[in-house]
Amino acid sequence: MSVDNEFIWWKHGVIYHIYPRSYFDSSNNGNGDIRGIIQKLPYLNRLGVDAIWLSPVYDSPLHDNGYDIRDYRKIDKIFGNLDDFKELLDKAHDNDIRVIMDMVLNHTSIEHPWFIESRSSIDNPKRDWYLWRKGKNRFTPNNWRSAFGGSAWEYDKHTDEYYLHTFFKEQPDLNWRNKSMRNAFFEEIRYWLDLGVDGFRLDVINMIIKDKKFRNNTKIFNLLFPNAKSFSRNRPKSYKIVRKLRKLTNNYPNKTLIGEIYNTPPGNSKLVASYLGNGNDSLNMAFDFSIFFKGWSAKKYNDAIENLYMELPDKGWPCFVFSNHDLNRSISRFGSHSEKKALLTAVLMFTLKGTPFIYYGEEIGMKNIKLRKSKLNDPLGKKYWPLFKGRDGSRTPMQWNNQEHAGFSKVKPWLPVSPDFTTTNVEVQENMANSLLRNYQTLISIRKKYPSLLKGDWKSKGTSNNIMSYQRNYGDEIMTIILNFSSKNKTYLLSNNQYRYIYTTHPETLTDMVTTTITLQPFQAIILELINKPK
Ligand code: GLC
């Protein structure tokens, strides 16, 4: 089916990532659920988002909080049931909000019936649906390491073979070279498409194919960056599978596929862009985590963004993300002046060319919290404590108001609420002029109003003095965006033209007309529209 990509929702919408267990608990058992999300649709409408992406809500033993799926067609009972999900889908659509599911293709849960069968005997028809190998001289089949530490192989006494697990041993890797497994998996995806979901975020999609010969990864990479050498990831055939997935979703109108390209070291825009294929035949979008790991500097940000744009195929579409459920929230990575930096990055994200992704709570400046070991849920944190304290700190309950448990639940939540909830919460910020939330609302509506911000070209005006500036142009409309990354007042010289303010992070400095020299406050960000258009 051919689709007019020009005005398609996933390019021009804002996508909001929900970690369902932490969003809103409608049943008061301490866990967020699907009916909780339904109740918060009016809030999402007020914020102005166009789609929600849900971290996994499928039936799961929750070894990796749902990224270990036992039944791809069932909703886990802590989140509700399929009727709840269908209601969410209908009500979200009624409110012009699309729904994107997380799809975990690399592995299933150890409790998935396919794995139980596969494990039962060497000649089981599903044996080859997973990756089983004989050990080598009483050692593992090769030196591949799990992304979560230790060997990627687990010995199974029952058949005297090892199975591969790129993550926890409770998450055995599927064999995507096996056609009957592939077809069975495609049926699981079709199931959700037939139900009406609008797309998928594809978990670690660059890892689904492994070297056919299972060659060892180089030692140095294994030591420094587990699995960086690509015998266990980014194999040529993974691109083929991605193209097949795209063909599948192309049978349904207006769907989107967003890939998580997981690599160590992070920040390889070329690799990320490669999964967009020719821009029309592979993923619609892929996360580039390069900015995540850049130090705070106008030049570093500018260069990373420019580099991503440069790497994209002609018809490829970028997206931008600053926080997610695996890494510390951006506001907690920024160090000093973090609240000001959070607002500046919001201006950046909503004025770049590419789809913005908000991680729940980012819009109110929710921060990571430090948890005691006894309070941890993430097995990764339990395993590596105190060296690495896990990912729970960025998965805490959404802060709705200043009542008990931040209005998330009436009972003790599954993870502690951040102690700053009395001041950092939705209710307070919806009623406070110039709060972060109000700025998010304004920025999203500005982005929707001006075609240059949605689909205009992006032209860097370079960086100097720790100021980054760029233009977005569409037809006659020309926007100039200026971001002061510095903690000092800075002067910025505009070319000799007339501009008007569309937005500023510092409304107190607002004037009607802009002169050629602007004094920017520390961390100030502004959007200007050119009003005397060049002939
Ligand atoms: C992805 C998910 C992460 C999960 C891992 C294994 O990186 O974002 O949360 O643990 O895949 O599925």
Side-chain angles (χ1 to χ4, degrees), residues 383-394:
K383 185 168 170 185
Y384 289 109
W385 185 275
L387 230 56
F388 175 60
K389 294 179 176 160
R391 300 166 291 178
D392 297 314
S394 54

Side-chain angles (χ1 to χ4, degrees), residues 338-355:
S338 62
E339 280 164 20
K340 294 198 168 118
K341 290 175 181 170
L343 180 54
L344 182 145
T345 41
V347 182
L348 174 69
M349 181 162 78
F350 293 118
T351 56
L352 284 172
K353 179 178 186 178
T355 304

Side-chain angles (χ1 to χ4, degrees), residues 189-457:
I189 295 179
R190 251 187 225 114
Y191 174 80
W192 293 100
L193 289 168
D194 289 337
L195 216 68
V197 304
D198 300 286
F200 300 100
R201 175 264 189 191
L202 305 174
D203 193 58
V204 292
I205 191 65
N206 59 321
M207 295 194 169
I208 56 171
I209 291 284
K210 280 81 186 175
D211 184 44
K212 221 176 182 167
K213 297 186 197 142
F214 287 82
R215 280 170 283 187
N216 276 333
N217 284 332
T218 50
K219 283 207 180 90
I220 175 75
F221 275 112
N222 243 346
L223 219 69
L224 293 178
F225 318 112
N227 291 337
K229 181 62 191 162
S230 53
F231 285 123
S232 46
R233 62 177 72 171
N234 301 320
R235 305 305 299 157
K237 192 156 182 195
S238 53
Y239 295 96
K240 247 189 173 166
I241 306 283
V242 165
R243 287 196 293 273
K244 281 188 200 294
L245 286 164
R246 176 63 179 265
K247 273 202 182 129
L248 179 93
T249 52
N250 278 351
N251 290 319
Y252 299 78
N254 299 339
K255 304 299 173 199
T256 191
L257 290 178
I258 309 140
E260 181 202 22
I261 310 300
Y262 181 105
N263 217 44
T264 32
N268 184 342
S269 305
K270 196 186 192 70
L271 176 76
V272 169
S274 70
Y275 281 91
L276 302 187
N278 69 12
N280 255 335
D281 63 351
S282 300
L283 298 179
N284 299 99
M285 297 183 276
F287 294 131
D288 177 11
F289 298 114
S290 21
I291 317 177
F292 252 89
F293 298 97
K294 294 280 176 248
W296 183 259
S297 123
K299 178 155 175 35
K300 285 182 186 158
Y301 272 51
N302 182 76
D303 293 355
I305 291 160
E306 223 170 358
N307 185 45
L308 171 65
Y309 286 141
M310 212 179 65
E311 294 293 354
L312 289 176
D314 266 2
K315 296 220 158 75
W317 187 256
C319 61
F320 291 94
V321 60
F322 286 92
S323 289
N324 69 24
H325 62 295
D326 290 327
L327 299 153
N328 285 348
R329 288 175 175 275
S330 55
I331 196 164
S332 299
R333 297 194 310 263
F334 287 152
S336 57
H337 309 289
S338 62
E339 280 164 20
K340 294 198 168 118
K341 290 175 181 170
L343 180 54
L344 182 145
T345 41
V347 182
L348 174 69
M349 181 162 78
F350 293 118
T351 56
L352 284 172
K353 179 178 186 178
T355 304
F357 279 74
I358 304 172
Y359 181 49
Y360 83 97
E362 182 181 312
E363 72 276 23
I364 53 169
M366 263 174 68
K367 301 189 180 69
N368 268 67
I369 67 167
K370 292 199 171 79
L371 288 134
R372 272 185 279 139
K373 193 176 180 198
S374 61
K375 299 270 185 227
L376 289 190
N377 175 279
D378 183 12
L380 209 51
K382 292 180 188 161
K383 185 168 170 185
Y384 289 109
W385 185 275
L387 230 56
F388 175 60
K389 294 179 176 160
R391 300 166 291 178
D392 297 314
S394 54
R395 299 172 174 179
T396 57
M398 178 70 177
Q399 295 161 208
W400 293 105
N401 56 41
N402 57 15
Q403 286 157 29
E404 210 186 358
H405 311 305
F408 162 77
S409 174
K410 294 214 163 43
V411 303
K412 196 168 157 227
W414 74 290
L415 280 180
V417 170
S418 167
D420 69 1
F421 78 95
T422 49
T423 46
T424 302
N425 68 58
V426 169
E427 199 176 282
V428 162
Q429 292 201 17
E430 279 200 317
N431 295 309
M432 191 200 288
N434 213 27
S435 64
L436 188 58
L437 179 56
R438 292 274 282 267
N439 275 282
Y440 263 70
Q441 288 169 334
T442 306
L443 286 162
I444 293 174
S445 65
I446 289 174
R447 184 178 171 86
K448 292 212 163 108
K449 184 164 163 200
Y450 296 101
S452 57
L453 296 179
L454 284 186
K455 51 192 168 191
D457 296 336

